C-alpha cells in the first residue's frame, strides 16, 4: 500500500516525514508486540507527534499504552516526524537497536537521503512518487487535498475538512483544535496535525 | 451501510462524513445511502456521523460487498495476503522479501487515489493497458486485486465485479528495467480513458546515494523527476540474499 507516499502540498517539504515499522508475512512476523515496544521507545525518544496502529487507532485518540497493549502480529505501527533532524536521529538510534523489522521513511527524497548519509544507513529500495494521473478535474480543491492526503487511506473525508476550515475561518474553533480533530480520523497515526494546523491557519487567512 | 428511516431526522449532518458522496437526501426529509456508490469504508459509522444513531451496518453478504469493505477499510486484513491496510507489503519489506530485484522496476498504480474512488471497470482498463505493455502482475498471495483477475496475463477482471465501487485499489506488478518506457507510455495513453484518478509509484533498488537507472528513464519519458519517495532502509532481518 502506498498511503504514505503521495502527500500533497508545499508545506509537506520540511515538516512531514512518515515512518513505518513493517514485518513481513511468513519471514519475521512473530512476537511483534515486544519488538513494537522497543521500536516505540526509540520513536518516543526522538519525538513523533503522532503514531498508531491501524488495528486500534492513533495516539491522538487513544492513550499510548492502549495502542501498545492491543498490538498483535497483524499490527502495523506508523507515525510521523516533523523535522529532518528527527529522521537522522531516528535512523541512527533504530539501526543501533537492530530490531530486525523493516523500516521505511516517506517524504521529500533529498532530505531523507541526506539523513541516511548522516546516520550512515544506506537506502535499500525506493518507491518513487510520480504524481496523480487520469481525470484530475475530479480532485477536490488543493487545500482540502493537502490535508486529506495526510491519511493516504482517505479516512479523513473532504466534507469534514471543508466544515472545519469554515469553522476556523469564522473563529468557531482554533486551527490547532481542528487539526487534532482531523488527526483522529486517521487510524494509522500518520496524519501530521502540526502541519495540518499550519495549512488550516494559512487557508483561513486567504479564504 | 444504511440509514434507518425511523431514526433519521433529515439533518444531513452525515453527508460530510461520506468519502464518495453516497449519502443523499431522499426528497421526503430523510437521507439514504446509495449501496452502489457506498464503498463500505465505514468512516461514517466509526466516527458517529449521525447524532441519532440512524447509520447502521448492513451484512456483507456477497463477495463483492466483502471485497469492497476489506479494500476500503484499512483496519481490515486481506485474508489471502495476511496484510492490513490495503492488503499489500509492496516495497515496504523489499529488504527482506526481495520482491523487486535489482534488474526490475515495480509498478504501483494506486487507482482512485487520492480520495476520488473508482469502479473496477476503470481498474480493468488500466490493468489491461499495462499488461499489454509487458507488466507482470503480483500474485494473489501478495496483492488483493489478483484475486479478481481471471487472466493474470491480460489483467482481465471478473465481469460480474466490474461495477463494484471501491475507495482505492492498487494495481501491482513489475517489469525488467529496460521494459519501463512502453509501460509509462501505456499509462499516459490510458489515463485519458478513465473517469477517475490514480497515483503512480515506481519501485527500484537504489545505490547508497539513492540513484537508479529508473530515474533517467522517467526523465526520458517526459515525466517530472520524483521529489517524494518512500525509502526502505534495509534494516529488516534476515536480509534477502537471493
Amino acid at each position: 500500500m502506498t498511503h504514505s507516499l503521495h502527500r500533497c502540498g508545499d508545506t509537506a517539504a520540511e515538516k512531514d516525514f512518515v515512518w513505518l515499522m513493517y514485518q513481513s508475512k511468513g519471514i519475521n512476523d512473530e512476537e511483534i508486540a515486544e519488538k513494537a515496544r522497543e521500536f516505540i521507545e526509540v520513536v518516543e525518544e526522538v519525538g513523533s507527534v503522532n503514531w498508531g496502529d491501524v488495528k486500534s487507532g492513533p495516539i491522538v485518540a487513544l492513550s499510548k499504552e492502549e495502542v501498545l497493549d492491543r498490538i498483535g502480529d497483524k499490527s502495523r505501527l506508523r507515525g510521523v516526524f516533523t523535522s529532518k533532524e528527527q529522521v537522522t536521529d531516528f535512523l541512527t538510534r533504530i539501526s543501533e537497536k537492530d530490531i530486525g523489522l523493516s523500516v521505511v521513511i516517506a517524504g521529500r527524497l533529498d532530505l531523507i537521503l541526506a539523513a541516511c548519509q548522516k546516520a550512515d544507513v544506506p537506502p535499500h529500495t525506493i518507491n518513487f512518487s510520480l504524481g496523480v494521473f487520469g481525470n484530475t478535474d475530479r480532485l477536490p480543491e488543493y487545500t482540502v487535498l493537502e490535508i486529506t492526503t495526510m491519511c493516504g487511506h482517505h479516512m479523513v473525508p473532504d466534507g469534514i475538512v471543508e466544515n472545519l476550515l469554515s469553522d476556523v475561518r469564522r473563529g468557531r474553533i482554533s486551527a490547532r483544535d481542528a487539526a487534532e480533530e482531523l488527526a483522529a480520523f486517521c487510524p494509522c497515526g500518520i496524519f501530521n496535525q502540526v502541519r495540518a494546523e499550519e495549512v488550516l491557519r494559512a487557508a483561513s487567512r486567504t479564504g | 451501510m444504511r440509514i434507518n428511516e425511523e431514526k433519521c431526522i433529515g439533518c444531513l449532518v452525515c453527508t460530510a462524513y461520506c468519502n464518495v458522496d453516497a449519502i443523499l437526501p431522499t426528497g421526503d426529509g430523510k437521507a439514504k445511502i446509495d449501496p452502489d456508490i457506498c464503498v463500505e469504508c465505514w468512516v461514517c459509522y466509526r466516527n458517529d456521523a449521525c447524532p441519532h444513531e440512524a447509520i447502521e451496518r448492513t451484512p456483507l453478504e456477497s463477495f463483492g460487498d466483502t471485497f469492497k469493505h476489506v479494500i476500503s477499510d484499512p483496519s481490515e486484513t486481506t485474508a489471502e495476503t495476511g496484510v492490513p491496510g490495503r492488503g499489500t507489503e509492496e516495497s515496504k519489506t523489499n529488504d527482506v522479501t526481495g520482491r523487486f530485484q535489482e534488474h526490475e522496476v515495480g509498478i504501483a498504480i494506486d487507482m482512485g487515489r487520492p480520495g476520488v474512488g473508482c469502479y473496477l471497470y476503470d481498474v480493468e482498463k488500466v490493468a489491461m493497458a499495462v499488461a499489454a505493455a509487458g507488466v507482470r502482475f503480483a500474485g494473489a498471495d501478495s496483492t488483493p486485486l489478483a484475486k479478481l483477475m481471471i487472466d493474470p496475463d491480460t489483467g482481465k477482471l471478473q465481469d460480474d465485479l466490474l461495477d463494484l465501487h471501491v475507495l482505492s485499489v492498487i494495481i501491482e506488478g513489475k517489469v525488467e528495467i529496460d521494459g519501463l518506457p512502453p509501460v509509462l507510455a501505456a499509462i499516459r495513453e490510458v489515463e485519458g480513458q478513465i473517469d477517475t484518478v490514480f497515483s503512480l509509484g515506481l519501485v527500484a533498488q537504489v545505490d547508497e546515494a539513492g540513484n537508479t537507472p529508473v530515474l533517467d528513464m522517467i526523465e526520458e519519458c517526459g515525466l517530472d523527476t520524483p521529489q517524494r519517495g518512500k525509502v526502505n532502509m534495509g534494516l529488516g532481518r534476515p536480509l534477502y540474499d537471493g
Side-chain angles (χ1 to χ4, degrees):
Chain A
M1 177 207 64
T2 58
H3 75 296
S4 59
L5 176 58
H6 304 288
R7 286 154 104 100
C8 296
D10 294 338
T11 53
E14 302 212 8
K15 294 183 177 176
D16 199 25
F17 300 91
V18 175
W19 60 262
L20 309 160
M21 180 203 87
Y22 240 81
Q23 63 272 43
S24 189
K25 187 184 67 165
I27 300 176
N28 57 5
D29 58 348
E30 292 177 347
E31 298 172 359
I32 293 303
E34 193 180 328
K35 293 173 184 171
R37 281 186 177 272
E38 276 189 75
F39 199 95
I40 290 301
E41 260 181 45
V42 176
V43 163
E44 284 286 293
E45 283 165 10
V46 173
S48 183
V49 292
N50 191 13
W51 57 267
D53 175 2
V54 69
K55 285 292 182 186
S56 50
I59 59 167
V60 292
L62 302 167
S63 74
K64 292 170 185 174
E65 274 311 309
E66 270 180 286
V67 179
L68 288 170
D69 285 346
R70 294 183 193 180
I71 287 174
D73 287 347
K74 297 294 182 197
S75 295
R76 296 293 190 282
L77 292 179
R78 299 147 170 159
V80 63
F81 294 125
T82 49
S83 76
K84 58 188 178 185
E85 290 78 13
Q86 283 182 317
V87 177
T88 304
D89 189 16
F90 171 71
L91 289 177
T92 304
R93 291 168 186 255
I94 206 73
S95 63
E96 283 169 2
K97 279 264 185 183
D98 196 20
I99 293 171
L101 298 175
S102 294
V103 175
V104 176
I105 304 283
R108 212 175 85 182
L109 275 171
D110 58 338
L111 301 178
I112 295 173
L113 292 170
C116 286
Q117 197 170 22
K118 281 183 186 167
D120 196 22
V121 177
H124 182 282
T125 299
I126 298 179
N127 188 347
F128 296 97
S129 171
L130 271 70
V132 183
F133 297 77
N135 186 1
T136 52
D137 290 344
R138 293 192 60 190
L139 293 171
E141 67 166 289
Y142 198 71
T143 299
V144 172
L145 214 49
E146 277 189 284
I147 290 175
T148 56
T149 55
M150 283 195 271
C151 171
H153 291 128
H154 212 80
M155 296 292 102
V156 183
D158 298 355
I160 298 295
V161 176
E162 287 161 1
N163 287 353
L164 282 168
L165 178 55
S166 171
D167 287 347
V168 173
R169 282 179 174 141
R170 293 176 188 196
R172 291 176 176 167
I173 188 171
S174 69
R176 173 169 295 185
D177 288 348
E180 286 181 1
E181 207 171 302
L182 290 166
F185 278 81
C186 167
C188 293
I190 67 167
F191 189 94
N192 183 338
Q193 69 273 28
V194 175
R195 184 183 152 219
E197 181 186 342
E198 287 186 17
V199 173
L200 288 168
R201 186 170 288 124
S204 67
R205 286 191 197 115
T206 58
Chain B
M1 304 301 302
R2 69 177 167 215
I3 291 176
N4 183 324
E5 283 185 28
E6 290 180 10
K7 292 182 178 175
C8 177
I9 63 162
C11 65
L12 301 179
V13 164
C14 55
T15 57
Y17 288 77
C18 185
N19 268 316
V20 289
D21 296 332
I23 306 178
L24 307 162
T26 60
D28 60 353
K30 304 280 185 182
K32 67 173 182 181
I33 294 176
D34 185 327
D36 295 328
I37 300 174
C38 176
V39 294
E40 300 288 352
C41 64
W42 294 4
V43 167
C44 56
Y45 180 80
R46 190 183 299 115
N47 292 289
D48 300 323
C50 179
H52 301 278
E53 299 180 345
I55 294 180
E56 299 171 347
R57 291 192 310 206
T58 47
L60 301 171
E61 289 173 340
S62 67
F63 171 78
D65 283 345
T66 304
F67 181 84
K68 71 178 176 179
H69 168 59
V70 172
I71 204 70
S72 300
D73 179 351
S75 67
E76 295 286 2
T77 297
T78 298
E80 289 76 10
T81 66
V83 181
R86 278 174 309 166
T88 169
E89 294 178 13
E90 41 100 351
S91 64
K92 294 191 284 284
T93 53
N94 200 44
D95 48 348
V96 171
T97 63
R99 187 165 168 175
F100 305 103
Q101 299 284 301
E102 277 183 49
H103 54 91
E104 296 171 327
V105 55
I107 317 288
I109 305 170
D110 213 337
M111 294 295 303
R113 181 155 185 246
V116 172
C118 59
Y119 287 91
L120 291 187
Y121 52 75
D122 274 338
V123 176
E124 182 187 75
K125 278 182 200 168
V126 177
M128 292 186 76
V130 296
V135 168
R136 291 168 284 127
F137 296 114
D141 60 339
S142 55
T143 193
L145 186 65
K147 191 175 179 181
L148 313 187
M149 278 188 190
I150 56 174
D151 184 354
D153 291 332
T154 65
K156 178 85 186 93
L157 303 183
Q158 287 177 231
D159 282 329
D160 60 326
L161 296 175
L162 293 180
D163 289 329
L164 205 65
H165 195 214
V166 297
L167 194 51
S168 65
V169 65
I170 309 178
I171 300 170
E172 283 184 281
K174 59 186 180 179
V175 290
E176 296 295 309
I177 287 181
D178 290 346
L180 181 60
V183 174
L184 292 178
I187 287 171
R188 297 310 302 266
E189 190 174 335
V190 77
E191 70 163 327
Q193 299 166 22
I194 57 173
D195 189 31
T196 186
V197 295
F198 58 87
S199 300
L200 176 61
L202 295 182
V203 180
Q205 291 194 23
V206 295
D207 66 17
E208 289 194 356
N211 291 317
T212 161
V214 169
L215 288 170
D216 294 332
M217 288 184 168
I218 290 170
E219 200 174 328
E220 286 163 14
C221 290
L223 294 166
D224 293 337
T225 301
Q227 302 297 309
R228 290 185 55 78
K230 185 157 60 176
V231 184
N232 178 319
M233 297 298 174
L235 297 174
R237 298 293 179 270
L239 208 58
Y240 180 83
D241 66 358

